[in-house]
Amino acid sequence: VVDTLMITDLELRGLAWISDDTTLALIAEPDTIPDAPPLSSTLVWTDPEGETLREFDVTGLCSRGLAYDGDWLWSISDPTDESGALLVQMEPDTLYVEQTYELPGHRPVDIAWDGDSLWIVDRDRGRLDRFDLEAEDVTRSRTTPGFSPTGVAHDGSFLWIADHGTGRLDRLSRGGSVWNGTVAADAYFRRGEDVCLLWGQGSLWLLPASSGYLLRLGPVPGDLTEPHR
């Protein structure tokens, strides 16, 4: 960890850089019941100095994860008694909901954009799913190295997965077919922690659960172990 960025006194569930001068944060007031949908969710637009430009209540619509594909804003809605978890597609300025899509499994927790597709990790299934925007459906799914992934990010070349159960940070080829590295435990080890991931401004960021801040990771010599066989 080379830098810390405080965002909110509540819980930060997602962050997206909409432009060079606008950041969008998903801020939640969590329920006291574990794994329950948040009591409230708010999207907050801020300028480069961190000043709030505007905010909008998205309770019941956005629960966790945030990604921006250059045109649309994407988030995840927690399952309810009436429906399973949903992938929500919104216009980033007005928050007009263009479409919602049912997701496989019932505990998707984080989302990332790779330039072509969305990637979603499901903690309970231990799965990484690719959502194809043209097909408007999950077109690829595979098991993650750990059994309870909580974070996913794409750095332009690789996907990164943070896992609650193993405490590891694993690297995957962009195509989603080969696990090709694990960060050494002396550089990253967070077993028992729910950590979401974010790539932005040339760095990989951690969003620790139940916190309102970001941790920026910097490269260290020998930070990757031997590739997975």
Side-chain angles (χ1 to χ4, degrees):
V1 175
V2 297
D3 197 10
T4 301
L5 179 63
M6 188 69 185
I7 302 294
T8 175
D9 292 332
L10 296 176
E11 184 171 317
L12 182 62
R13 291 282 185 93
L15 193 78
W17 281 277
I18 302 299
S19 66
D20 291 339
D21 57 6
T22 305
T23 302
L24 188 56
L26 176 60
I27 296 171
E29 180 186 1
D31 199 327
T32 56
I33 301 173
D35 302 324
L39 296 175
S40 68
S41 296
T42 307
L43 281 172
V44 180
W45 289 255
T46 57
D47 65 16
E49 285 71 45
E51 294 296 323
T52 298
L53 300 173
R54 62 191 179 106
E55 55 186 64
F56 196 87
D57 188 341
V58 289
T59 305
L61 178 64
C62 302
S63 300
R64 59 191 74 246
L66 208 57
Y68 178 59
D69 68 10
D71 294 310
W72 299 100
L73 189 67
W74 300 85
S75 188
I76 296 168
S77 176
D78 282 336
T80 65
D81 293 337
E82 291 75 33
S83 68
L86 299 175
L87 176 64
V88 183
Q89 179 185 11
M90 297 172 289
E91 202 282 325
D93 291 324
T94 65
L95 297 187
Y96 168 78
V97 177
E98 175 71 11
Q99 187 62 274
T100 60
Y101 304 91
E102 250 189 81
L103 291 172
H106 72 282
R107 204 177 181 190
V109 290
D110 201 14
I111 184 172
W113 169 249
D114 75 352
D116 295 304
S117 304
L118 293 164
W119 294 89
I120 302 161
V121 285
D122 189 291
R123 178 172 175 174
D124 282 0
R125 297 189 307 141
R127 303 290 295 183
L128 173 68
D129 297 317
R130 185 183 72 174
F131 184 87
D132 188 297
L133 269 60
E134 290 189 7
E136 297 186 339
D137 201 358
V138 172
T139 56
R140 182 179 300 171
S141 184
R142 65 163 300 154
T143 303
T144 57
F147 53 87
S148 55
T150 59
V152 59
H154 185 265
D155 67 5
S157 299
F158 299 100
L159 285 158
W160 296 86
I161 307 291
D163 191 84
H164 171 98
T166 64
R168 301 187 316 190
L169 183 61
D170 294 295
R171 189 178 71 183
L172 173 66
S173 65
R174 176 178 176 177
S177 57
V178 179
W179 296 105
N180 57 10
T182 302
V183 176
D186 59 354
Y188 181 96
F189 185 72
R190 291 176 175 266
R191 179 179 292 169
E193 295 186 45
D194 293 351
V195 177
C196 290
L197 297 177
L198 171 71
W199 178 265
Q201 302 181 343
S203 297
L204 185 64
W205 300 79
L206 310 181
L207 285 71
S210 303
S211 77
Y213 58 87
L214 295 170
L215 301 175
R216 183 166 66 92
L217 298 187
V220 294
D223 59 342
L224 286 180
T225 65
E226 289 297 316
H228 288 279
R229 301 297 183 185

